[in-house]
Amino acid sequence: MKNKAGDRDIWYFESYYFCLTVTTTVGYGYVYPVTAGGKFFTIFYALFTIPLLVITLADIGRKLANLIGIAETKALGRVKNRHLRFLVVITMTMFSGIVVFLLIPGGIFVALEEFWSFMDGFWYAFATLSTIGFGDIMAGMSYEVGPMGSAASNVYIVAISMYTLLGLTWPATLWVLVADYLYGSKGTEQGQEEGQKTEAVAI
């Protein structure tokens, strides 16, 4: 495997983070396989781990959405309009995620990465959690935290990995909330149509 610069060998934690970017489909492109064996391994590794992560995120998203549903019932139980309730819930979930997973990490990246502006930190966080992974900037590849392969650098790579995995639960939860709303709307419409048909038959 090679890094984008191609000027040095890849150390273990860099390979570990490459595996994470494959599994999460972020794929920055900073590290990539160059041999046929490495490419075949990456293909089979992705075919196995990507569906596993999707299933895991869907399960976590479902559990978090259920917790949000409990809070919604307690806080908005008197609001009868389900569309208004959904709008409030999705707005609060979106805003909370932006603060916790984009704005705060963006500020942390500025403190830890050399020559990064806040926009760079925010941009990197967004590109990571949206799984776009442009690869124009990448955390953990500078010497600001410590030399490549040092204990500090390795801990930083692991911390970024944990941030990525935890952060992906936010869009997963949003997907579940939106799916539940759309499914509920469809069910409501079908129920109304059946009720209208029943009334028509009765008449």
Side-chain angles (χ1 to χ4, degrees):
M1 296 180 66
K2 292 290 185 180
N3 60 6
K4 186 178 291 186
D7 58 354
R8 60 178 174 81
D9 293 330
I10 304 302
W11 89 97
Y12 172 79
F13 280 92
E14 205 168 8
S15 299
Y16 154 78
Y17 194 52
F18 164 77
C19 292
L20 181 77
T21 60
V22 171
T23 302
T24 57
T25 70
V26 176
Y28 297 110
Y30 181 81
V31 177
Y32 53 89
V34 294
T35 65
K39 291 175 181 178
F40 274 114
F41 172 79
T42 302
I43 290 171
F44 287 108
Y45 178 80
L47 290 174
F48 174 76
T49 58
I50 291 175
L52 186 63
L53 180 67
V54 170
I55 293 171
T56 302
L57 288 176
D59 188 50
I60 295 174
R62 165 54 57 198
K63 288 179 170 55
L64 292 176
N66 290 341
L67 292 176
I68 293 174
I70 294 173
E72 174 192 353
T73 301
K74 292 182 178 180
L76 303 173
R78 296 182 179 179
V79 179
K80 301 303 181 183
N81 190 322
R82 65 182 301 271
H83 304 293
L84 178 59
R85 289 174 58 168
F86 169 76
L87 182 62
V88 172
V89 169
I90 204 70
T91 300
M92 293 300 297
T93 305
M94 179 71 74
F95 178 77
S96 301
I98 290 174
V99 172
V100 174
F101 294 115
L102 297 183
L103 293 178
I104 294 177
I108 295 174
F109 288 133
V110 171
L112 296 177
E113 293 293 333
E114 190 176 11
F115 305 125
W116 278 30
S117 65
F118 178 78
M119 186 60 205
D120 289 332
F122 182 86
W123 176 251
Y124 170 77
F126 168 77
T128 298
L129 298 189
S130 63
T131 71
I132 296 175
F134 292 106
D136 51 342
I137 54 176
M138 184 173 174
M141 297 297 112
S142 69
Y143 287 85
E144 185 72 11
V145 176
M148 297 294 185
S150 66
S153 179
N154 293 340
V155 170
Y156 186 36
I157 291 293
V158 173
I160 295 173
S161 302
M162 296 301 101
Y163 158 73
T164 303
L165 291 173
L166 289 174
L168 286 175
T169 62
W170 170 47
T173 304
L174 290 172
W175 297 335
V176 174
L177 290 173
V178 172
D180 286 349
Y181 170 72
L182 294 177
Y183 180 80
S185 296
K186 183 178 180 181
T188 301
E189 291 173 358
Q190 290 177 344
Q192 291 176 346
E193 291 177 359
E194 291 177 358
Q196 291 173 355
K197 291 179 180 178
T198 302
E199 292 178 358
V201 171
I203 293 173

